Amino acid sequence: MFHLHAAGRIEPLAQHLAEVLGDAPADPMQPEWLAVPSEGMRRWLHLELARHLGSSADGGDGVAANLLPAFPGQLRLAVLDAGRDSDDLDPWRVEQLVWTLFDVVVAGQAPLGDVAHDTTYARVRRVADLFDRYHVHRADMVRAWADGDDVDGAGRPLPEHHRWQPRLWRAQRERIGTPSPPERIPGLLDELHAGTLRLDLPDRLCMFGLSLLPGGAGFLDLADAVGTSHDLHVFFVEPSPSLARRLSGALGQPGERARTRAEDPGAEQVSHPLVRSWGRLHRETTVLLTDGERQAVPPVARLDPGGPAPGSGSGATLLGQLQSDVRSDRAPAGELVPDTDDRTVQLHAAYGATRQVEVLRDALVHLLADDQLDLREDDVLVVCPQLERFAPLISSVLGPSVDDAERARADRHDATAAAPPLRYRIADRSVRSTNPVLDAAEALLAVVGGRFDAPSVLDLIARAPVRRRFGWDDDALATIGDWAAGTEVRWGLDARRRARLGIPEEYDTNTWRAGVDRLLLGLAIEDEDAVALGGVVPVASRADDARVAGQLAALLSVLDRLVDATSVRRPVHQWCQLVRDAVDACCAVPAESSWQLDGLNRVLAEITEESAAAERVQIDLTDLRRLLSERLAAPPGRADFFRGGITISSLTPLRWVPYRVIVALG
């Protein structure tokens, strides 16, 4: 069967999920399939389930184990994979689709409209993402395209300036040679209803913490079909349960076609301005669920625990009143005068990112020191929309994270410290932040594709894998920095490279080549003989620095060859090999850290495999950097959530997860 559960907060949903899981399956060794929107919510949910499950009467002594991790979109993929005969990569997955589309564009198989003027990877990737979203959210439109009917999502004829999209889609459909997911889904759902299609999934499936239907109206048809052979539970979080109930009762009967946003009656039913502006997608989900309920989809079972959220305080506080108004969809009365000591909502203004982190530290220290609040560091969440930019500043300003034992020792030995050390974790950084080799590879390509300005090159030199490859310690880095300043290096590898940017080739001053030539000449002659030779003015240097100077010249020689190698377009697999060779020439890691090189090789192998179908495609260095940057922005395999201390994360992984204090930084 297919079950829908909804609540205004996530805690009662987790408790109800524990009750569902408490009903043991027929096979006690069968795993539970549990899909959640983010890795952060998954970690929280496992801990929450352990609190509710157990052998005692009131629970709390259990564990959450034998749970198959999944994300909501994987249910649709499981149905599509069940209907495929081959174990090869699905050519309609977006990672494969982008290269097929690129190949079609290069071959000129279709009129491409605006895309024809820019066939770079970035543009093709955007179009591939667009088609992939069409497959999920506009399946009827894509099926019409497959039949040669150029219509939009509402079934209306497309204007001429948009018709390049269905033409391009049909060209790639012909290139792939197999039906697209929207073409296959209706038949697969019929097979599920008839019981002739077997899914490689457990008998009970749970999707938790959703605020939107994953795939829009098509998800209801998918869930109804899966529910014929599996027990499917979907748990929704509603920001305003009162609005959901009122909107469900006010909707008329659905028409023969899907409602358009222009026909959305929800905005007229909303009273609170935040619910109106930020809650549009939730209103549309309520409309879809209500229309589905009137077409035999099971009704939504809404849980109404009542009362304020834990930790929100009374409705007399500013935060409590705001939360109450949003849940009840009640327009702010404007009559609440917060008490002078009401600190439930605080705004801090500071100039610059570093100062913001300093204010964050002071605010956290004051909150944790307040005996009335009785806060622990685990009760605090810091969300930051620019986490990669702020993470180094956080580590610098807050200092190294400490455990309780280290804090106790610090308190005993340094009672005059300006601020107590904090225990915290930056839990949602990208894979490049956890693997120094990946970070160095990206920096290397940025330097080769850039202007060779002094700060960028010095930053590359300071990366740990580069330092290890050339044997540079802190003193060597300081020496190189002094040389760059003393020889007045500004930008440009040499005069020939700089000539491409409009600088006459006879002017080579302020380039890295001119600076190194002056440095090496100064090492080769005695100080008293320091005269210009061949137009090069030597710089006085110590003989002890000869090794560092030679290594710097060697690195610049490697970069010089890389500039030549990256100046032409190449097939993707050649670029991947070029990156491997460049990293081998410029980076080194200790034997115990060989996993860092393995991480780079794994990323390049995935790119090579996915692009194998597009052998004619050649990309330039800019495309390669964009492609690699996308891969390195992904989260690492194991997120560092809920392991103690203040959690610092980006905005989405912990959405809906309850914390007593939430700070928005930046």
Side-chain angles (χ1 to χ4, degrees):
M1 294 186 63
F2 172 32
H3 310 270
L4 289 165
H5 317 272
R9 299 200 310 270
I10 200 170
E11 300 98 312
L13 281 179
Q15 183 175 356
H16 190 54
L17 172 62
E19 295 171 359
V20 171
L21 297 181
D23 185 8
D27 180 3
M29 301 304 293
Q30 187 177 64
E32 299 282 356
W33 190 87
L34 183 57
V36 294
S38 67
E39 187 62 35
M41 180 176 286
R42 186 193 320 282
R43 296 288 295 273
W44 174 85
L45 184 58
H46 283 197
L47 296 173
E48 193 70 9
L49 289 175
R51 291 182 57 246
H52 292 291
L53 299 173
S55 58
S56 61
D58 56 353
D61 58 350
V63 295
N66 204 23
L67 301 174
L68 289 178
F71 294 104
Q74 290 180 245
L75 181 62
R76 177 175 173 273
L77 295 179
V79 174
L80 290 171
D81 287 342
R84 295 179 66 241
D85 298 329
S86 172
D87 293 332
D88 296 336
L89 293 174
D90 186 353
W92 287 99
R93 297 281 180 96
V94 67
E95 296 83 7
Q96 299 286 110
L97 192 63
V98 62
W99 296 109
T100 304
L101 183 61
F102 212 149
D103 194 45
V104 170
V105 170
V106 170
Q109 294 179 229
L112 304 179
D114 293 339
V115 182
H117 303 298
D118 183 6
T119 60
T120 62
Y121 171 82
R123 174 64 66 88
V124 175
R125 174 71 196 203
R126 285 197 294 271
V127 176
D129 286 337
L130 182 67
F131 285 170
D132 185 61
R133 291 196 295 272
Y134 287 164
H135 293 165
V136 177
H137 298 279
R138 297 290 182 266
D140 290 338
M141 180 186 74
V142 173
R143 284 191 285 268
W145 289 3
D147 294 335
D149 192 5
D150 296 349
V151 298
D152 63 11
R156 298 168 299 209
L158 275 174
E160 184 59 35
H161 65 278
H162 282 315
R163 295 202 172 193
W164 64 268
Q165 295 190 49
R167 293 166 188 160
L168 178 56
W169 185 90
R170 283 191 290 268
Q172 85 171 357
R173 164 69 168 79
E174 182 180 358
R175 172 73 168 77
I176 292 174
T178 60
S180 64
E183 296 174 84
R184 297 173 54 219
I185 277 288
L188 294 174
L189 297 188
D190 290 341
E191 292 182 42
L192 284 174
H193 281 293
T196 58
L197 182 65
R198 176 66 181 171
L199 300 181
D200 187 19
L201 293 172
D203 294 335
R204 182 163 58 201
L205 312 172
C206 296
M207 305 177 74
F208 182 86
L210 306 184
S211 56
L212 305 172
L213 287 175
F219 173 78
L220 296 177
D221 297 331
L222 175 69
D224 184 56
V226 172
T228 59
S229 56
H230 294 71
D231 197 16
L232 176 61
H233 294 262
V234 182
F235 296 81
F236 281 98
V237 187
E238 298 179 324
S240 180
S242 296
L243 173 64
R245 287 191 293 267
R246 186 167 66 253
L247 189 58
S248 297
L251 287 174
Q253 289 293 330
E256 295 182 357
R257 60 176 178 82
R259 303 176 193 262
T260 64
R261 280 181 169 167
E263 302 167 339
D264 177 19
E268 302 172 359
Q269 303 289 329
V270 183
S271 300
H272 198 285
L274 290 181
V275 179
R276 181 181 301 110
S277 59
W278 291 352
R280 187 190 70 182
L281 295 178
H282 171 254
R283 292 200 311 272
E284 293 176 356
T285 298
T286 302
V287 171
L288 291 174
L289 291 174
T290 303
D291 287 348
E293 182 178 335
R294 294 169 181 175
Q295 296 175 349
V297 172
V300 179
R302 289 189 164 87
L303 309 175
D304 295 313
S312 65
S314 71
T317 65
L318 186 59
L319 178 61
Q321 186 65 53
L322 175 61
Q323 292 175 332
S324 177
D325 288 345
V326 168
R327 290 195 184 94
S328 303
D329 185 36
R330 182 173 54 243
E335 300 173 352
L336 175 65
V337 179
D339 194 88
T340 54
D341 60 354
D342 186 348
R343 295 291 183 268
T344 55
V345 176
Q346 301 181 31
L347 302 177
H348 303 269
Y351 182 81
T354 301
R355 183 57 184 154
Q356 290 181 56
V357 180
E358 292 172 347
V359 174
L360 166 71
R361 176 198 59 198
D362 295 342
L364 293 177
V365 169
H366 282 98
L367 286 170
L368 294 169
D370 191 331
D371 294 334
Q372 293 183 343
L373 293 177
D374 190 25
L375 287 172
R376 300 177 304 161
E377 289 157 321
D378 295 10
D379 297 326
V380 180
L381 168 66
V382 178
V383 294
C384 180
Q386 304 177 70
L387 187 60
E388 292 299 321
R389 175 193 173 200
F390 276 82
L393 300 176
I394 293 171
S395 300
S396 175
V397 173
L398 269 61
S401 177
V402 300
D403 58 23
D404 292 334
E406 291 174 327
R407 182 183 294 110
R409 288 194 297 270
D411 291 342
R412 287 197 303 270
H413 294 96
D414 191 8
T416 62
L422 297 172
R423 183 165 55 109
Y424 66 92
R425 294 184 183 276
I426 304 177
D428 188 39
R429 301 191 69 181
S430 64
V431 65
R432 69 163 65 88
S433 302
T434 60
N435 188 329
V437 168
L438 293 176
D439 186 44
E442 189 174 33
L444 177 63
L445 294 178
V447 167
V448 171
R451 299 170 68 247
F452 278 85
D453 57 285
S456 296
V457 176
L458 292 174
D459 180 64
L460 172 65
I461 290 172
R463 304 295 169 113
V466 179
R467 293 179 58 177
R468 184 173 183 85
R469 172 65 178 81
F470 293 95
W472 289 326
D473 55 16
D474 292 341
D475 292 337
L477 294 182
T479 299
I480 294 173
D482 292 340
W483 286 341
T487 57
E488 298 183 343
V489 173
R490 296 293 183 265
W491 69 280
L493 181 59
D494 55 29
R496 182 169 63 91
R497 312 292 185 195
R498 218 164 54 172
R500 301 175 182 176
L501 299 176
I503 305 298
E505 191 169 342
E506 58 267 23
Y507 296 103
D508 66 345
T509 56
N510 306 119
T511 65
W512 281 98
R513 180 64 63 194
V516 170
D517 287 347
R518 294 181 62 190
L519 179 64
L520 295 177
L521 183 59
L523 288 168
I525 63 177
E526 297 292 340
D527 289 345
E528 58 269 17
D529 298 329
V531 295
L533 295 177
V536 178
V537 179
V539 174
S541 305
R542 298 176 304 170
D544 295 342
D545 295 331
R547 184 183 64 86
V548 177
Q551 292 164 339
L552 177 60
L555 173 61
L556 293 177
S557 178
V558 172
L559 297 179
D560 180 67
R561 293 194 298 272
L562 277 176
V563 172
D564 288 333
T566 58
S567 61
V568 297
R569 301 175 68 88
R570 298 173 178 271
V572 178
H573 67 91
Q574 291 185 11
W575 277 114
C576 291
Q577 187 58 50
L578 181 64
V579 172
R580 290 190 186 93
D581 295 341
V583 170
D584 287 341
C586 297
C587 301
V589 296
E592 63 272 13
S593 299
S594 59
W595 61 269
Q596 298 175 11
L597 290 172
D598 293 340
L600 173 67
N601 290 329
R602 184 166 54 251
V603 169
L604 296 177
E606 291 173 356
I607 294 174
T608 301
E609 182 181 14
E610 292 166 0
S611 62
E615 296 180 353
R616 291 176 295 185
V617 170
Q618 294 189 352
I619 62 176
D620 58 19
L621 178 60
T622 302
D623 294 333
L624 174 70
R625 290 177 57 192
R626 171 65 182 265
L627 173 59
L628 195 61
S629 179
E630 286 180 357
R631 298 308 176 96
L632 301 190
R638 180 181 181 184
D640 205 14
F641 293 107
F642 299 102
R643 295 180 59 202
I646 300 167
T647 300
I648 303 173
S649 170
S650 58
L651 295 179
T652 56
L654 295 173
R655 182 176 293 169
W656 295 110
V657 174
Y659 277 86
R660 290 187 61 193
V661 175
I662 298 179
V663 182
L665 171 66

